[in-house]
Amino acid sequence: MTPRGRHFFANPGPTNIPDSILQAVSHHTVDFNGPDFLEVYDACLAGLKRVLRTEQHLFMYTGTGHAAWEATLVNLLSPGDRILVIETGHFSEAWGRMAADLGIAVQTLAADWRRGVDYAELAAALAADTGQAIKAVCAVHNETSTGMTLDLPRIRATLDDAKHPALLLADIISSLGSIEFRFDDWGIDAAVGGSQKGLMLPVGFSFSGVSEKGLAAHKASTFPKHYFNWTTMLTRRHRSFIGTVPIALIYGLREALRLIEEEGLDQVLARHTRLAEATRRCVRHWAGNDGPQLFCLSPERVSDSVTSVLMPEGHDAEALRRRVGTLNVALGTGLSRLNGKVFRIGHLGDLNEPMLLGTLASTEIGLRLQGVPHAGGGVEAAIAYLAETAP
């Protein structure tokens, strides 16, 4: 039987879609080369650049974030080029596999998934690259599998201190619109984003922000490409999208940008920080009695878009997720080596206090029903924090 009431979706992506965006994407079909649509399109391009905080280049695709990563790799690099991938979790491994499949040499900077990279080791890896074979450093800004962030300004400073010319590539799929990100100020050369996270849209389009340095590197790229070719895109009126433009998603993007700018981007980020901390207060309380605990052990690196929760030894995270699912709440699964060991609470996008508390309360019910050791009252810890910090 279908559960009654509204479904609580607490997966870290895709995320909840506001009703006004659902209405916007139901827009009737129009000519994507017509003047009315082009006015909307141009406004969306400018608005997305404001969220990225860039005045440089932006290319968009019909496809998920994986499509944008492939587009970015084949436009910036050539077969046999070497990249340095900073290990953060499931998604850094995925990008490394993608690059290897394309014929790129992948060097991984190993890191503990619970503590994160040692930035001194990044400096050492760059210093050791005396021939400057590394063409790009790939960094997942927010790793959704582990609930941990990377310090992109510090990575840029490390590259600059080493006087290393490698491009800085950032995956911002689960951080844009929920965690502070400044493309131009932080010296990012390419950033990959998608529609279904902080932008609160359906899955279906993705994009690459590209610096002037990145565009210059593109001109030397020898990878075969067609649908993703930035040079071809630059000749089109839309400066993106080889072929048909996803009209409905663009109308949805217009509404998403309106919602973000109505609230104010800084206020959006502050809301995410507050709801994330409430979640962490709850989990830290549950950790009593040898209960579930925050997977991330580095307090300064915790994510404001997703919290990854490590189950006590001998207790299955997937069994808990299924039990909580019977309460009409969807939690995120553990990815790759973390499957069955962690569950994830997404707290990004269209989210407020009642939605979060409903998720946390249902999860605490699930812990009781499954007989998982924990300290009861975690939700009260979240409530107390939210009351203390209420605007």
Side-chain angles (χ1 to χ4, degrees):
M1 183 179 72
T2 303
R4 299 296 181 255
R6 185 150 190 169
H7 180 57
F8 276 54
F9 191 78
N11 202 297
T15 61
N16 295 294
I17 303 173
D19 289 344
S20 64
I21 291 180
L22 288 172
Q23 293 165 7
V25 298
S26 66
H27 199 282
H28 63 271
T29 303
V30 299
D31 179 2
F32 61 80
N33 288 309
D36 291 344
F37 179 77
L38 288 172
E39 182 179 347
V40 173
Y41 182 89
D42 291 344
C44 285
L45 192 69
L48 189 50
K49 283 187 176 184
R50 288 193 296 273
V51 176
L52 283 161
R53 288 171 165 155
T54 184
E55 296 180 0
Q56 299 183 79
H57 305 280
L58 182 63
F59 299 99
M60 294 188 280
Y61 329 96
T62 304
T64 66
H66 287 78
W69 252 116
E70 182 162 333
T72 301
L73 291 172
V74 300
N75 274 284
L76 292 176
L77 302 168
S78 298
D81 279 353
R82 177 173 294 277
I83 62 173
L84 178 64
V85 176
I86 299 174
E87 184 176 11
T88 54
H90 169 78
F91 286 101
S92 67
E93 288 187 338
W95 306 142
R97 287 194 300 271
M98 175 188 287
D101 287 345
L102 292 169
I104 297 167
V106 178
Q107 178 180 338
T108 300
L109 182 62
D112 184 315
W113 281 26
R114 297 197 68 185
R115 298 186 182 276
V117 69
D118 181 341
Y119 291 104
E121 293 184 4
L122 172 61
L126 294 172
D129 184 30
T130 55
Q132 298 182 337
I134 297 170
K135 301 303 180 186
V137 173
C138 298
V140 178
H141 186 204
N142 182 76
E143 174 61 66
T144 56
S145 67
T146 60
M148 192 181 306
T149 61
L150 281 177
D151 187 340
L152 294 179
R154 187 167 181 176
I155 295 170
R156 166 45 66 195
T158 303
L159 278 162
D160 292 346
D161 290 346
K163 296 182 171 54
H164 200 291
L167 299 166
L168 176 53
L169 313 185
D171 173 344
I172 58 168
I173 293 170
S174 62
S175 62
L176 187 68
S178 54
I179 298 172
E180 181 75 5
F181 176 74
R182 296 180 176 272
F183 187 99
D184 289 353
D185 291 349
W186 293 357
I188 308 299
D189 292 306
V192 172
S195 59
Q196 76 276 19
K197 304 271 188 175
L199 291 178
M200 306 172 288
L201 290 162
V203 177
F205 93 90
S206 54
F207 48 88
S208 305
V210 183
S211 71
E212 293 290 350
K213 179 181 175 182
L215 202 59
H218 162 67
K219 295 175 181 176
S221 169
T222 61
F223 265 117
K225 45 194 167 281
H226 179 84
Y227 179 73
F228 290 133
N229 195 323
W230 293 346
T231 296
T232 306
M233 290 182 182
L234 288 170
T235 67
R236 289 171 55 81
R237 167 60 179 79
H238 300 87
R239 297 175 74 82
S240 288
F241 298 116
I242 303 300
T244 306
V245 175
I247 297 162
L249 288 173
I250 298 300
Y251 280 106
L253 176 60
R254 178 175 66 172
E255 176 60 13
L257 293 168
R258 187 193 70 79
L259 292 174
I260 289 170
E261 296 192 332
E262 176 185 71
E263 185 176 357
L265 182 55
D266 289 340
Q267 288 70 35
V268 170
L269 300 180
R271 171 168 54 83
H272 279 79
T273 297
R274 182 166 170 268
L275 296 177
E277 179 58 23
T279 305
R280 292 189 288 267
R281 298 269 179 124
C282 179
V283 176
R284 290 187 189 112
H285 188 92
W286 286 340
N289 296 331
D290 298 319
Q293 58 183 275
L294 295 174
F295 183 79
C296 177
L297 294 176
S298 299
E300 74 282 6
R301 299 185 183 189
V302 290
S303 167
D304 282 348
S305 63
V306 56
T307 296
S308 187
V309 184
L310 180 66
M311 290 285 280
E313 190 70 30
H315 292 271
D316 182 11
E318 287 304 290
L320 175 69
R321 280 201 335 114
R322 288 192 297 270
R323 195 60 179 263
V324 174
T326 67
L327 302 173
N328 214 7
V329 174
L331 300 172
T333 188
L335 299 174
S336 61
R337 71 178 76 165
L338 300 182
N339 185 257
K341 298 179 179 179
V342 308
F343 65 90
R344 297 176 300 147
I345 303 171
H347 34 74
L348 73 161
D350 187 43
L351 191 70
N352 59 26
E353 292 90 342
M355 295 164 72
L356 178 66
L357 291 171
T359 295
L360 296 177
S362 298
T363 303
E364 188 161 334
I365 292 171
L367 292 173
R368 291 189 186 187
L369 294 176
Q370 288 298 109
V372 178
H374 68 286
V379 179
E380 177 56 38
I383 291 171
Y385 173 77
L386 292 171
E388 292 166 7
T389 58

